[in-house]
Amino acid sequence: MYIRQNVVKPTGKSPAASAPKEPNIVLVAVDDILSWPMRDSKGVRHVGNFVLKAGAKMIEVYMTPSKSKASYESEGDEDAVSFKQKFEGEHPGNELEIAEFVQNSVGVNWVIIYGSCSDNYRKVLGSKCAPMQLKPALQDDNEARKHMLVFEQAAASGFVPGHYTGVLTFANPFAVANAGEVAISLANGNVYKLPSLAIADAIEATGVEQEHGAIITLIGGGGVAPATLASGILPNGAVLKDGISWVALENAVINLQVFDAGANKYLMELSRS
């Protein structure tokens, strides 16, 4: 729940100065998303990770950093204000890869994740019900060769761009062989696909190496007797909301945040679906 509070001047000598953008924006096709990170009660911060369907991955597209621009506008009468988000960028050159991307991306519903070199979070444009759509243009003349890529929402929504601190997924989730010993290591990443089970087993997380605040996602493998994560202390459980166990049904998702207490690390539930 949002409680009204003062909004003071941000820190820094020139907080309104432009923030250099990361050169690669991340695109996620809406049809590839298995589970969305929900927004918290204040409506902006995403809680959890974007979890993709089997075989799907996020892609990166290079944009000239100084030409990237994200924005939103509000529209509607006094009792019907909504937002439309927009991202504009330029990709240099006219190579086959960018032409193929444009050809096969028009009409696709997208979510855009982009970051800057000044922030410790990324911004999310687009949503399940109000995705971004590509509107491309080409300049090929004596002044420049470049693709102008504009992503816009066709439908307005009630949300400003979101803040995202979750992981970016460019590979398949780590496939867990034994639900009774899930090694949460840096080498294995932050997203784990549990096995399908014929005999019930308790999920135990071992060797948590990720730093405080990192988000760990478990994806259920289902089976005749799906694995179960109980509420408790590692390695036999996690701190779960209301103490309710999580059952790893096929494609069920739970997001857990690492809490480093010094001598011990804990996994605390953020969300489940």
Side-chain angles (χ1 to χ4, degrees):
M1 178 179 179
Y2 180 71
I3 299 174
R4 294 184 182 91
Q5 56 187 332
N6 296 330
V7 181
V8 301
K9 180 181 178 180
T11 58
K13 294 182 179 179
S14 185
S18 62
K21 301 293 188 293
E22 293 179 349
N24 293 323
I25 67 167
V26 176
L27 295 174
V28 193
V30 169
D31 287 345
D32 287 342
I33 299 173
L34 174 65
S35 176
W36 295 70
M38 68 176 65
R39 294 188 180 221
D40 68 12
S41 61
K42 297 179 181 179
V44 177
R45 185 171 68 94
H46 286 280
V47 178
N49 292 323
F50 279 97
V51 180
L52 305 186
K53 296 176 182 177
K57 64 179 182 178
M58 299 176 177
I59 64 170
E60 292 182 297
V61 177
Y62 175 83
M63 301 284 192
T64 302
S66 63
K67 301 297 184 180
S68 293
K69 178 182 177 181
S71 62
Y72 70 81
E73 295 182 352
S74 59
E75 60 180 33
D77 296 330
E78 59 184 309
D79 292 324
V81 176
S82 56
F83 303 99
K84 273 193 174 182
Q85 303 168 15
K86 185 176 183 179
F87 187 92
E88 303 169 71
E90 293 184 3
H91 183 90
N94 190 19
E95 303 300 320
L96 175 64
E97 289 78 9
I98 186 63
E100 290 177 337
F101 167 77
V102 169
Q103 179 66 44
N104 293 280
S105 295
V106 171
V108 175
N109 292 327
W110 294 104
V111 169
I112 295 176
I113 304 173
Y114 76 92
S116 78
C117 297
S118 302
D119 302 317
N120 59 1
Y121 59 86
R122 293 181 170 87
K123 300 296 284 289
V124 177
L125 302 177
S127 65
K128 182 177 183 179
C129 297
M132 310 296 288
Q133 287 267 346
L134 173 62
K135 295 182 178 180
L138 171 67
Q139 179 180 350
D140 188 358
D141 55 24
N142 62 339
E143 294 183 354
R145 300 182 74 196
K146 58 186 179 182
H147 282 78
M148 286 74 75
L149 304 178
V150 177
F151 294 85
E152 293 182 302
Q153 287 180 311
S157 77
F159 294 100
V160 300
H163 282 218
Y164 183 63
T165 56
V167 297
L168 302 178
T169 303
F170 302 110
N172 291 327
F174 179 79
V176 176
N178 180 6
E181 189 175 353
V182 184
I184 310 294
S185 68
L186 293 174
N188 294 341
N190 289 49
V191 183
Y192 297 77
K193 175 69 174 180
L194 297 170
S196 174
L197 297 181
I199 300 175
D201 197 1
I203 299 169
E204 294 190 7
T206 63
V208 178
E209 297 178 352
Q210 281 79 353
E211 63 183 11
H212 179 82
I215 300 172
I216 306 299
T217 297
L218 303 181
I219 305 172
V224 176
T228 301
L229 179 65
S231 188
I233 303 298
L234 291 175
N236 299 314
V239 182
L240 302 181
K241 184 177 183 300
D242 298 326
I244 299 174
S245 297
W246 176 74
V247 181
L249 301 172
E250 178 67 24
N251 289 330
V253 171
I254 186 167
N255 291 295
L256 306 159
Q257 189 166 38
V258 176
F259 187 91
D260 190 343
N264 298 296
K265 287 185 177 180
Y266 303 94
L267 294 177
M268 306 180 68
E269 180 181 348
L270 286 175
S271 62
R272 66 174 78 186
S273 61

